Amino acid sequence: MQELLEQVLDYLKGIWLKRRYIIVSTWLLCPIAWLYISQMENIYESEARVYADTQSLLRPLLRGLTVETNPDYQISLMVRTLLSRPNVERITRMTDLDIQVDTSEGYEKLIDGLKEDIKIAKSGRGRENIFTISYSHKDAEMAKNVVQSALTVFIENTLGENRSDSDTAQ
């Protein structure tokens, strides 16, 4: 313990002796760093948490399987379902992102970019099925709208499956 205390005191003495160099380098580096940071673009991230009962959501899709499915597989299936091309196209129409592109190549690039940028992660512990849908964009309103649209598509798909389940039960 005494050695550690002596070593810390030696470091502090060294810093005190070299304080001029530290102050000069700080005064040179800080304005450069401030200029760099002020030139950076603002990135806004929006996220929503949703509880999903994977057993009732995926029961129609996994009908006929006698083996109990892996929860990680269920999650990946839900992610693929939400980020399927028809759902991503609905999200672009709901947020008016499709209006911003003129060519079909631009539209394809937009769809692929949204599939990559929309993140869905499991945020619940253990068996809790709480998912986080997040998206980052330069415009705060657009980030919020994309996450809201993804959440709306997710809920509409869930309600549609529940309604079809109840229709077949009757």
Side-chain angles (χ1 to χ4, degrees):
M1 185 66 178
Q2 184 65 26
E3 287 180 16
L4 183 62
L5 185 61
E6 287 177 11
Q7 192 175 17
V8 169
L9 287 173
D10 285 340
Y11 283 132
L12 290 175
K13 287 178 187 174
I15 290 172
W16 184 254
L17 291 174
K18 304 290 184 185
R19 68 184 180 273
R20 289 185 195 107
Y21 299 119
I22 294 170
I23 290 173
V24 168
S25 63
T26 302
W27 277 99
L28 291 175
L29 290 178
C30 282
I32 294 169
W34 290 332
L35 183 66
Y36 175 73
I37 290 171
S38 69
Q39 298 299 319
M40 292 175 64
E41 285 187 13
N42 292 332
I43 302 290
Y44 300 95
E45 182 175 359
S46 179
E47 74 177 30
R49 289 195 178 104
V50 63
Y51 172 77
D53 184 11
T54 56
Q55 296 302 319
S56 66
L57 287 177
L58 296 176
R59 190 172 296 135
L61 296 174
L62 301 176
R63 189 175 300 142
L65 293 176
T66 58
V67 179
E68 189 172 316
T69 58
N70 183 2
D72 293 332
Y73 176 72
Q74 290 177 342
I75 294 166
S76 68
L77 187 59
M78 286 182 64
V79 169
R80 281 185 287 174
T81 302
L82 182 61
L83 295 179
S84 65
R85 184 172 179 91
N87 288 339
V88 173
E89 286 177 351
R90 282 179 60 195
I91 291 170
T92 59
R93 285 191 301 272
M94 291 170 76
T95 58
D96 293 333
L97 283 171
D98 57 342
I99 296 173
Q100 298 174 358
V101 292
D102 297 330
T103 62
S104 61
E105 293 86 20
Y107 186 71
E108 293 297 324
K109 190 175 179 180
L110 174 69
I111 295 291
D112 293 338
L114 273 178
K115 282 183 182 180
E116 292 293 320
D117 293 341
I118 296 175
K119 305 286 187 233
I120 302 173
K122 185 173 181 177
S123 60
R125 291 183 287 260
R127 293 189 159 257
E128 294 176 8
N129 291 328
I130 299 175
F131 298 93
T132 302
I133 302 171
S134 63
Y135 180 71
S136 299
H137 197 267
K138 298 174 201 170
D139 182 21
E141 192 67 26
M142 183 58 68
K144 181 186 81 90
N145 289 341
V146 168
V147 170
Q148 183 64 43
S149 299
L151 191 60
T152 302
V153 167
F154 178 75
I155 291 171
E156 286 176 358
N157 287 345
T158 303
L159 289 176
E161 288 175 3
N162 288 343
R163 286 183 189 144
S164 65
D165 287 347
S166 64
D167 289 342
T168 57
Q170 292 175 356

